[in-house]
Amino acid sequence: MKALWPLRKGTLGVPVGVSVDPHRMDPFADTLQRLREAFSSGHTRPVEFRATQLKGLGRFLQENKQLLQEALAQDLRKSAFEGDMSEILLCQNEVDLALKNLHTWTKDKPVAKNLFTQLDSAFIRKEPFGLVLIIAPWNYPVNLTLMPLVGALAAGNCVVLKPSEISKSTEKVLAEVLPRYLDQSCFAVVLGGPEETGQLLEHKFDHIFFTGSPRVGKIVMTAAAKHLTPVTLELGGKNPCYVDDNCDPQTVANRVAWFRYFNAGQTCVAPDYVLCSPETQARLLPALQSAITRFYGDDPRASPDLGRIINHKHFQRLRGLLSCGRVAIGGQSDDSDRYIAPTVLVDVQETEPVMQQEIFGPILPILNVRGLDEAIDFINRREKPLALYAFSNNSQVINQMLDRTSSGTFGGNDGFVYLTLPSLPLGGVGNSGMGRYHGEFSFDTFSHHRACLLAPSDLEKINEIRYPPYSGWNQQVISWAMGNQRCSILPHPGSPLLIHPALLQWDPPHSDMWEN
Amino acid sequence: MSTISEVVQRARAAFLSGRTRPLQFRIQQLEGLRRLIREREKDLVGALTADLHKNEWNAYYEEIVYVLEEVEHVIKKLPEWAADEPVEKTPQTQQDEAYIHSEPLGVVLIIGAWNYPFNLTIQPMVGAIAAGNAVVIKPSELSENTERLLATLIPQYLDKDLYHVVTGGVPETTEVLKERFDHILYTGSPGIGKVIMAAAAKHLTPVTLELGGKNPCYVDKDCDLDVACRRIAWGKFMNSGQTCVGPDYILCDPSIQNQIVEKLKKSLKEFYGEDARKSRDYGRIINSQHFQRVMGLLEGQKVAYGGTGDAATRYIAPTILTDVDPQSQVMQEEIFGPLMPIVCVGSLEEAIRFINQREKPLALYVFSLHDKVIQKMIAETSSGGVTANDVIVHITVPSLPFGGVGNSGMGSYHGKKSFQTFSHRRSCLVRPLLNEETLRARYPPSPAKMPRH
C-alpha cells in the first residue's frame, strides 16, 4: 500500500518538510567559504606572510611548551622527555627549517636545458593548491598535526586543521590556543568525531592530508575522488623486524625495545613483530628483559617514562592480544589507568589476532623463521608496511632484505631514527599509504608544480618545420630519423636539430606536394 | 582467451618472479618498444589515419617522435635514476648510510585516450617499464584501429607475461577497475577521472589523472599578432582541435579581435588551403557522437570563418567564432573540436578574473611582448602548465613534468618524472650494529632534571 504522502528526500538525504537546524546540517560551510575567499584574495601568496605564520607557529610552541607537555601527559601519559623528543622539538625544528629555507623553496626551479631551451626559459613554479585539510590522529597529536601544518603554511595554502577528538587535552590546546598565533582569516581548527569528519569531507578541498588507518584512508580517498582532490595518506601496517643470527643480541634488544615501547607502542613506524630463528630468539629474550628493566625499572608501572593506552577501547583490544601465543616477558595490565606492561609474546601463530592487526601497543610477538629467505617470503605475503627493520652484522643480509621487499621506509640496524633526517621523507606504499612529507618534501607535497615555458616571440624560422602543408621534405626527415638507429636527436619543437644555423637561413618548401 | 582477472594475475606473477629488477632487462624491453616503432611505423600510421585522418607527418610529429625520444632519454638515464640517491645527514648520523632507494610498485594500469591513441598509451608505458613494473594497458576503444594494432604488436615485441593489452569498452574497463593495481594512470575526462579515483580508493591505489579543461589563450594588445596567430592556429587546429593541451578559447581586447580573426584566417589558408576538407593534413572528428556535439556548439554563435561540417566524413571546417558570450554552451565545456571562440575582455585584470572564475585548466597560454604581462598572468592564475608566446610546446620539454591541477588532474609524468611516478622511493637509514654506548642518551630512564608527572 503506497503511502499517501510519501516523504521526499532533500539533497542531504533528510526528508523535506522536516524542520532541521541548517547550522547543524553544515557547521563548516561558513568557515570554509571564508578561507576560500581569503585564498582567492591572494592573502597567503607573499613569502613574508607565510614567514609570519610560521613564526607564529614557532612562538606557539615556545610559549606553550608546558601546556602541551601537560596535555600530552593527560592524553597518553607521555613523559616530558618523550614529548619533547618526538613532538615539540621535532615541530620546532621543522618550523626553523622552513623559515630558513622558505625563500629557496619558493623560487622558480629552472630545469635541465637543452639547446632549445637556451633560447628561452623553462622552469617549475611551485604554487599553493588553495584550501587544504589536515586530519590528524591521536598518537602523536602535536607532531602529526603541526608537522604537516608547517608544510601547508610554507606552501601558501589556507588550512583547515581537524585534530583527533580522541586525544582530548591536546585537541583543546590546538583549538583554543593555536589560532591566536595565526592569521585566522586563513586558518581554522574544526572539531568533531567520525560523523562531523564525514560532513567535512563532503566539501571540496584542494588537498587532503590524512594520517590514520588504512580503513579510514579508503573513506577519505573515496570522498576526495568526488572533487578530484589529491590526497596524501599516511597509513599503517605491521612493520616487520628481522633479526639475523649474526648480531649482538643486547644491542639489538636495546634498539628494538626502545622503539617498540616508546609511547607505549602507539607509533605507526614502530617494529610490530620480530622474525628470527629459535636460536636467536633464545638469545634475544633475556636481552629484551634486560633492556626493559634498564629502561623502565623492575616495576615498569612505576616508571614515569612509560606511557599509557589512549582509551578503554584500545586498552580492551590490546588486553585481548595478551592471550595470544605465550607471554615470555610482561603480560600484566591494569584497566584503572590503562596500563599494559612491556610484553614479549612467543609461540605465536600467524592466524592469531596479534598477527592479524596492527598492534599499536607495547606488545612484541616473536615468530620463528629458518633464515632470510623464509623471512622475506613471510613479509612479502603481507601488505606493504610503513616501515621495515633488519638487524645484522652482515651488510649482505641488510641489502638482501632491502632489495627483495618493499615498505614505506627502511631501517638497518636501528629503529625509526630516519625520522630525524629532514632529507629523508616519511611516507607509505600500497596499504601503508601514498605521498610523503617532512622538510622540503612537505613543501612539495602541498604545492602544485607548474611547468612553465617562456618561448621566444621571434625566431619563427625555428618553427617552420612544424606547420602544414607537409611536403616531401618532411617525409625525408621522417625517413632519416626512423632509419638512424643511434639517433637521439629527433626533429620536433624541443629538438636541437632545429637550432642549426643553416636552418635559420633555410626557406622550407610549402607547396602542397607529396611526391618525393 | 583469458579473462581480465587472469591477465592481471599473470602480470602480477611475472612481476613477483623478480624478472624486471635488473636494469638490463628493462632496457631490453624498451629497446623492444623502439624496434616496434621503427619497424612498424607504417602500420602505426595506417591505424592513426583510419582512426583520426592523421597522415604520416603528423602521426610522426605529433605522436610517435615523442615516444621515441622518451625511450631514448629513459634508456640513457635509467642507471642514474635507478641508483640509490644519498641524502644529507645530520651530525648524529654521520657514520650511517642515508639514501633514497627506488623500487617498482608492482602492476601498473594505463588507460589511454583516443585523441593521441598511440602516444597517450605508450609514452606512460615507457616510464612504467623503466621503473620495473608489470604493465596492463587499456587503450581507448574509440580509436579502434590503434587499439587493435597495439593488441597485436605489444606481445610481438615485449615480454608476454609482464605486459598486456586489454581491449574493449565500458564493460571491460569496469572489469579492469575491479582488479587491484599498484598505480593507475588515466588520461581522459574529469567525469571519468572521478570514477577511476573512486575505484582506486577501494584498494588504496595511487593515481595519476591527466584530465582536461578549457585552456585559455590570452592575446595582449602588444604582441606580434602575425606570429601569435600562426602559432595559435597551429596548436588549435592540429588533430582537428582534439588536443587536451590545445588552446580552447581566446581572450583579447575587442580592438584587436578583427585583426586576430584575419590573421588566424591567413594562417589557416596557408596550412590547409581554401577548403580544409581537401587538405591531407587536416584531421577528422573521432566519431559521430563527438561530431554532433561539436557542431551543436555552433548554435547561436557568430561565425567569422568556417562553421560547416560533413557528418558522413566527420569533417568540421576550421572555425572562428567572435564576440562569444561566456554563458553560451561553447564556453561551458571543453570544446575538443576545431572551433575557436574569441571572448572579449577589457583588460589583463579582467582576463585573469575570467580565468579564475573557472576550473583550473590543463594549460594556459599568454601572448605578449611585455614580460610584466606574462609574469602577472602566471602569478595570478593556476593551471597544469604554461607556455608564453607559443602553445603546447611546454609538454615537449622532457625535464618539465606534464600534468594537471584541480579539475584538470593530479600527478604528472614525462621523462624522469615518469620514472618517479611509477616508483616507490623508499627512505633508508642503515647504521652499524656498533657504538651502542653513543646512543645511551636517548634511552630511558629520562634525566632526573626532566619534569615528572
Side-chain angles (χ1 to χ4, degrees):
Chain A
M1 172 81 169
K2 238 167 78 170
L4 281 175
W5 297 105
L7 286 172
R8 278 187 302 120
K9 286 224 175 127
T11 44
L12 288 163
V14 175
V16 170
V18 175
S19 87
V20 202
D21 173 9
H23 195 72
R24 190 174 69 77
M25 295 295 295
D26 189 351
F28 306 115
D30 290 338
T31 303
L32 298 181
Q33 180 66 20
R34 185 166 54 79
L35 261 49
R36 263 215 186 280
E37 276 160 17
F39 183 76
S40 301
S41 77
H43 199 44
T44 58
R45 299 299 197 119
V47 177
E48 295 322 312
F49 174 82
R50 307 182 203 184
T52 305
Q53 292 281 73
L54 290 170
K55 286 180 189 145
L57 184 53
R59 271 195 334 272
F60 164 74
L61 288 164
Q62 273 154 28
E63 291 173 16
N64 298 282
K65 189 164 160 165
Q66 189 171 342
L67 194 61
L68 287 167
Q69 282 174 347
E70 282 163 9
L72 291 168
Q74 272 154 33
D75 285 330
L76 291 142
R77 203 187 185 266
K78 209 173 281 224
S79 66
F81 186 59
E82 274 195 16
D84 267 2
M85 188 190 284
S86 66
E87 303 232 42
I88 299 168
L89 273 177
L90 274 184
C91 291
Q92 263 169 353
N93 289 342
E94 188 83 347
V95 169
D96 293 339
L97 188 77
L99 279 168
K100 187 166 137 208
N101 292 289
L102 197 55
H103 281 274
T104 310
W105 291 351
T106 49
K107 276 204 182 65
D108 291 338
K109 299 267 176 304
V111 296
K113 284 180 186 279
N114 57 26
L115 264 180
F116 182 65
T117 57
Q118 296 299 343
L119 300 173
D120 54 48
S121 192
F123 57 93
I124 297 174
R125 159 83 47 99
K126 310 267 173 93
E127 320 180 319
F129 280 117
L131 183 56
V132 154
L133 170 64
I134 296 172
I135 301 176
W138 50 260
N139 56 333
Y140 290 84
V142 175
N143 175 326
L144 297 175
T145 322
L146 300 186
M147 291 280 271
L149 179 61
V150 171
L153 292 174
N157 299 285
C158 285
V159 186
V160 175
L161 211 60
K162 164 68 193 77
S164 171
E165 73 284 10
I166 296 177
S167 38
K168 284 197 278 289
S169 303
T170 310
E171 185 199 36
K172 192 159 190 280
V173 177
L174 293 173
E176 291 174 12
V177 183
L178 175 59
R180 295 186 219 147
Y181 289 80
L182 299 175
D183 183 329
Q184 295 190 47
S185 68
C186 309
F187 171 80
V189 178
V190 299
L191 305 180
E195 195 187 311
E196 288 79 10
T197 307
Q199 270 187 305
L200 189 59
L201 284 169
E202 281 172 15
H203 291 273
K204 177 175 177 171
F205 293 92
D206 302 301
H207 192 99
I208 298 176
F209 186 102
F210 169 78
T211 307
S213 71
R215 185 188 68 86
V216 181
K218 291 177 184 179
I219 295 172
V220 172
M221 189 171 173
T222 304
K226 294 196 174 72
H227 298 290
L228 287 172
T229 300
V231 297
T232 302
L233 305 176
E234 299 273 327
L235 310 176
K238 290 183 76 59
N239 306 323
C241 182
Y242 174 68
V243 182
D244 192 38
D245 290 341
N246 180 356
C247 73
D248 168 49
Q250 191 58 61
T251 304
V252 173
N254 291 348
R255 298 178 184 190
V256 172
W258 189 58
F259 285 101
R260 166 74 287 187
Y261 302 117
F262 195 92
N263 202 28
Q266 297 160 113
T267 307
C268 49
V269 284
D272 186 277
Y273 63 96
V274 166
L275 290 171
C276 67
S277 67
E279 296 74 33
T280 296
Q281 176 179 306
R283 292 153 70 218
L284 263 183
L285 282 174
L288 282 167
Q289 177 65 78
S290 173
I292 289 168
T293 306
R294 170 185 165 181
F295 296 162
Y296 309 111
D298 290 314
D299 179 18
R301 186 144 182 228
S303 164
D305 296 315
L306 185 63
R308 294 294 183 265
I309 305 308
I310 184 71
N311 63 14
H312 269 287
K313 178 178 129 192
H314 281 284
F315 173 81
Q316 298 298 352
R317 178 183 66 79
L318 287 165
R319 198 184 225 178
L321 299 182
L322 290 169
S323 53
C324 297
R326 178 173 61 80
V327 173
I329 300 173
Q332 299 88 358
S333 64
D334 185 335
D335 62 11
S336 68
D337 69 340
R338 302 191 302 279
Y339 164 76
I340 299 206
T343 298
V344 178
L345 301 175
V346 296
D347 302 336
V348 171
Q349 301 304 314
E350 265 183 77
T351 47
E352 295 186 76
V354 77
M355 285 306 292
Q356 296 300 316
Q357 57 181 272
E358 185 174 355
I359 294 167
F360 232 64
I363 301 170
L364 182 69
I366 303 182
L367 283 84
N368 294 139
V369 288
R370 286 170 303 259
L372 183 61
D373 287 339
E374 199 182 314
I376 289 175
D377 284 340
F378 187 98
I379 291 167
N380 286 341
R381 279 204 301 275
R382 294 172 150 58
E383 296 293 349
K384 294 173 186 175
L386 185 54
L388 194 150
Y389 302 103
F391 288 81
S392 177
N393 284 321
N394 184 345
S395 61
Q396 301 253 26
V397 168
I398 306 279
N399 289 331
Q400 284 273 308
M401 184 55 86
L402 175 63
D403 284 335
R404 291 162 60 191
T405 62
S406 189
S407 63
T409 58
F410 180 86
N413 290 326
D414 209 349
F416 44 85
V417 181
Y418 51 75
L419 291 182
T420 62
L421 275 74
S423 55
L424 283 180
L426 173 64
V429 64
N431 226 48
S432 56
M434 57 183 79
R436 61 216 201 133
Y437 75 121
H438 280 183
E440 187 172 6
F441 300 97
S442 287
F443 180 85
D444 282 344
T445 284
F446 287 108
S447 300
H448 166 53
H449 300 207
R450 192 178 189 190
C452 300
L453 184 69
L454 310 182
S457 355
D458 50 6
L459 297 172
E460 185 60 357
K461 274 263 182 271
I462 294 169
N463 288 334
E464 286 300 321
I465 193 173
R466 73 189 195 187
Y467 299 125
Y470 303 126
S471 67
W473 192 88
N474 301 85
Q475 193 66 33
Q476 286 178 36
V477 166
I478 300 177
S479 309
W480 175 78
M482 284 296 167
N484 189 336
Q485 294 300 317
R486 304 220 33 88
C487 175
S488 63
I489 298 170
L490 298 160
H492 69 86
S495 163
L497 178 67
L498 300 176
I499 315 309
H500 194 284
L503 264 172
L504 295 175
Q505 260 88 58
W506 177 68
D507 194 15
H510 271 288
S511 50
D512 187 20
M513 55 168 199
W514 267 92
E515 45 272 275
N516 179 19
Chain B
M1 183 66 91
S2 313
T3 64
I4 284 172
S5 196
E6 283 162 5
V7 163
V8 178
Q9 293 322 314
R10 207 159 54 239
R12 193 164 283 291
F15 172 75
L16 290 172
S17 75
R19 216 148 70 241
T20 62
R21 296 310 191 114
L23 296 191
Q24 204 40 49
F25 175 85
R26 308 180 203 178
I27 290 174
Q28 265 167 21
Q29 297 301 313
L30 293 173
E31 287 168 347
L33 256 187
R34 181 170 61 197
R35 265 196 333 274
L36 184 162
I37 298 172
R38 290 193 194 278
E39 288 173 13
R40 313 300 287 263
E41 195 236 345
K42 292 258 178 299
D43 295 325
L44 289 171
V45 172
L48 292 168
T49 304
D51 283 331
L52 289 144
H53 200 257
K54 296 193 194 211
N55 62 34
E56 179 144 23
W57 176 255
N58 44 36
Y60 169 77
Y61 197 70
E62 293 162 16
E63 289 218 45
I64 296 170
V65 70
Y66 302 108
V67 182
L68 265 182
E69 175 155 290
E70 184 92 344
V71 171
E72 297 300 341
H73 185 58
V74 168
I75 288 177
K76 191 163 126 212
K77 293 289 205 174
L78 189 54
E80 180 192 316
W81 294 346
D84 287 342
E85 193 191 312
V87 300
E88 198 183 320
K89 298 189 276 203
T90 57
Q92 296 79 17
T93 48
Q94 285 304 314
Q95 307 307 319
D96 307 325
E97 287 167 47
Y99 52 93
I100 295 178
H101 175 81
S102 288
E103 16 188 85
L105 291 168
V107 183
V108 164
L109 172 66
I110 294 169
I111 302 179
W114 53 258
N115 56 334
Y116 292 85
F118 178 73
N119 179 300
L120 295 175
T121 320
I122 303 302
Q123 189 159 355
M125 193 185 190
V126 172
I129 294 174
N133 299 287
V135 188
V136 174
I137 62 172
K138 166 71 194 65
S140 169
E141 71 281 13
L142 295 192
S143 41
E144 54 187 5
N145 297 283
T146 308
E147 180 199 41
R148 245 180 279 127
L149 186 62
L150 287 175
T152 308
L153 292 184
I154 294 287
Q156 285 176 11
Y157 286 83
L158 297 182
D159 184 300
K160 290 195 197 24
D161 295 314
L162 285 162
Y163 313 111
H164 299 265
V165 181
V166 168
T167 58
V170 172
E172 286 77 10
T173 308
T174 309
E175 276 304 301
V176 158
L177 286 171
K178 290 194 185 127
E179 299 293 320
R180 183 176 182 182
F181 294 95
D182 300 292
H183 194 100
I184 299 176
L185 186 145
Y186 165 74
T187 306
S189 72
I192 304 297
K194 293 176 183 179
V195 172
I196 306 279
M197 189 171 172
K202 293 197 174 69
H203 298 292
L204 287 171
T205 299
V207 298
T208 300
L209 304 176
E210 300 274 327
L211 309 176
K214 292 184 76 61
N215 305 323
C217 182
Y218 176 71
V219 182
D220 190 36
K221 277 194 278 202
D222 288 328
C223 76
D224 184 338
L225 274 181
D226 286 298
V227 168
C229 292
R230 196 145 187 243
R231 296 177 180 184
I232 292 170
W234 168 72
K236 171 76 196 188
F237 296 100
M238 91 169 44
N239 203 23
S240 204
Q242 298 163 114
T243 305
C244 49
V245 285
D248 186 278
Y249 64 97
I250 288 175
L251 288 170
C252 70
D253 190 275
S255 65
I256 56 170
Q257 185 179 219
N258 288 339
Q259 284 182 73
I260 289 177
V261 171
E262 288 316 305
K263 290 175 196 293
L264 284 173
K265 276 161 71 169
K266 174 164 172 282
S267 289
L268 285 170
K269 287 178 189 168
E270 247 178 66
F271 295 164
Y272 307 117
E274 288 294 331
D275 181 4
R277 193 187 334 202
K278 301 203 178 93
S279 165
R280 289 203 45 164
D281 303 316
Y282 190 70
R284 296 292 181 269
I285 303 302
I286 183 71
N287 65 13
S288 317
Q289 181 207 344
H290 279 283
F291 174 86
Q292 298 300 342
R293 179 186 64 78
V294 177
M295 289 302 287
L297 298 176
L298 287 171
E299 199 178 307
Q301 298 298 340
K302 254 203 277 187
V303 176
Y305 188 70
T308 57
D310 171 42
T313 54
R314 299 193 306 277
Y315 161 83
I316 300 182
T319 300
I320 304 169
L321 308 173
T322 51
D323 296 315
V324 174
D325 175 4
Q327 303 305 324
S328 58
Q329 192 57 32
V330 76
M331 286 305 293
Q332 302 307 315
E333 56 182 82
E334 185 173 358
I335 296 166
F336 234 63
L339 312 185
M340 178 60 107
I342 302 179
V343 175
C344 293
V345 286
S347 64
L348 175 62
E349 287 73 17
E350 196 186 325
I352 289 173
R353 270 197 310 274
F354 188 95
I355 291 167
N356 287 341
Q357 275 159 7
R358 292 164 164 69
E359 296 291 354
K360 294 172 186 175
L362 185 55
L364 185 148
Y365 302 110
V366 47
F367 286 82
S368 177
L369 289 170
H370 300 299
D371 212 44
K372 275 200 156 66
V373 167
I374 294 173
Q375 292 305 336
K376 190 172 157 83
M377 176 58 86
I378 298 178
E380 295 182 17
T381 60
S382 190
S383 63
V386 178
T387 298
N389 290 324
D390 205 341
V391 296
I392 298 179
V393 289
H394 63 279
I395 73 168
T396 69
V397 180
S399 48
L400 282 177
F402 172 50
V405 64
N407 227 47
S408 55
M410 58 183 77
S412 57
Y413 71 113
H414 279 188
K416 184 173 184 183
K417 196 67 182 54
S418 278
F419 179 82
Q420 292 175 341
T421 288
F422 293 115
S423 298
H424 171 53
R425 299 167 70 205
R426 191 177 186 188
S427 292
C428 302
L429 185 73
V430 179
R431 50 179 26 170
L433 210 49
L434 309 165
N435 306 318
E436 185 58 2
E437 266 306 287
T438 58
L439 298 175
R440 199 182 46 223
R442 73 183 189 188
Y443 295 134
S446 48
K449 65 177 168 16
M450 294 240 69
R452 311 234 161 171
H453 302 287

